[in-house]
Amino acid sequence: MTTPRPRMSYDYDTFVELATADPAVVGLVLKGSRAHEGMTTAHSDHDLYVVLAEGASTALTRFAGHRTSELDLVVLTLDEFRAAGMPGFERYALARARVVLDRLDGGITRILSAKARLDADEARREAAAYLDAYANSLYRSVKNARDGQSLAAHLDAADSVRFLLELLFALDRRPRPYNKYLQWELTRYPLPDWPTTPLLDAVQHITATGDVSAQRHLFAQVETVTRRAGHGAVLDAWGEDLRLMRPR
């Protein structure tokens, strides 16, 4: 018979006090909207990582996976915390997370900092792959528009924006933010070579309309930036098809 998960009536502050008093806990890390200034709403819960020393024994493990409208807990060991999001969907959330408790003389903070910065080889590999994927979706969008396939063209344009954003953040050695935090991120931490307002306007316009002219104009900027970053070979592999992507 499965033992039912214990009910928990703690709010965030009470649980933090409980966890802080437990010597097995080496770190508490808050992520999500509560860690992004100005993004909290009436519906925001507290997403909290509870980091335990390796081999430590604690009753707090009974709260692993606990989730309520007030408190969403992830209980894990220090090694598991180091590996979280490396790679994975959680990387951006942890890159912008807030340290609530660090018993490792800054060790928790250093782990988060490492998640926020792609290493040079990783960034180069990801940028090359996302550039090729971006060019693929852009090419399909423009070709479908030319051939009268308006729905396909629009969907491919929207796909291209996803790969574009992954590319631009990889070029800056940063994990791409979730869509919810894209404007928040770019407003506070702009991308080099990409003024925030024109970039967001272009992303919104292309996603909403599939405008071929706007896609080509944006591609011209991407081509300049990526060739300067050493990714010319990825583009050159497209050969004569580049003419369809470039402005007329």
Side-chain angles (χ1 to χ4, degrees):
M1 179 181 297
T2 302
T3 302
R5 187 179 299 277
R7 293 184 178 275
M8 185 182 72
S9 59
Y10 300 114
D11 61 16
Y12 169 75
D13 291 330
T14 303
F15 183 82
V16 167
E17 183 178 353
L18 175 72
T20 301
D22 191 325
V25 176
V26 296
L28 295 172
V29 174
L30 183 67
K31 68 182 181 76
S33 58
R34 296 279 180 179
H36 287 71
E37 182 182 1
M39 293 296 292
T40 303
T41 72
H43 306 288
S44 297
D45 63 358
H46 293 81
D47 295 291
L48 190 68
Y49 273 77
V50 183
V51 185
L52 306 177
E54 294 298 324
S57 177
T58 172
L60 291 180
T61 55
R62 73 189 189 277
F63 296 126
H66 185 87
R67 187 172 188 176
T68 69
S69 60
E70 163 70 12
L71 195 56
D72 187 353
L73 297 176
V74 177
V75 182
L76 72 179
T77 67
L78 182 60
D79 284 347
E80 289 171 335
F81 180 65
R82 285 193 182 98
M86 301 294 282
F89 185 70
E90 286 289 278
R91 186 164 186 174
Y92 173 76
L94 289 166
R96 292 296 180 212
R98 180 165 65 83
V99 175
V100 178
L101 175 69
D102 186 346
R103 284 204 172 104
L104 301 179
D105 296 324
I108 297 294
T109 300
R110 288 191 292 274
I111 291 171
L112 293 180
S113 296
K115 296 178 190 297
R117 185 77 171 161
L118 280 63
D119 69 43
D121 289 342
E122 177 187 19
R124 185 171 184 81
R125 288 194 306 270
E126 290 200 1
Y130 285 125
L131 174 58
D132 193 52
Y134 164 64
N136 188 294
S137 289
L138 170 63
Y139 174 73
R140 291 175 181 276
S141 178
V142 174
K143 187 172 66 170
N144 282 325
R146 179 199 64 191
D147 296 342
Q149 300 289 334
S150 59
L151 176 59
H154 195 159
L155 292 173
D156 286 327
D159 284 345
S160 78
V161 167
R162 170 198 163 198
F163 296 123
L164 170 67
L165 292 171
E166 296 280 7
L167 164 64
L168 298 186
F169 279 95
L171 287 171
D172 199 34
R173 297 177 58 182
R174 291 155 60 184
R176 177 195 161 179
Y178 307 148
N179 293 332
K180 176 180 180 178
Y181 301 118
L182 178 63
Q183 186 170 3
W184 184 96
E185 179 78 15
L186 291 178
T187 299
R188 289 160 177 78
Y189 309 100
L191 290 164
D193 303 310
W194 296 94
T196 294
T197 297
L199 175 60
L200 290 176
D201 286 348
V203 163
Q204 183 169 4
H205 178 67
I206 290 169
T207 302
T209 68
D211 185 338
V212 169
S213 177
Q215 290 190 76
R216 285 174 166 153
H217 176 74
L218 187 58
F219 177 74
Q221 298 172 268
V222 172
E223 183 170 12
T224 297
V225 168
T226 53
R227 285 190 183 279
R228 190 167 66 233
H231 295 288
V234 176
L235 294 169
D236 292 339
W238 282 87
E240 293 299 311
D241 290 334
L242 286 173
R243 292 189 300 177
L244 194 64
M245 306 181 209
R246 290 167 173 156
R248 297 296 175 86

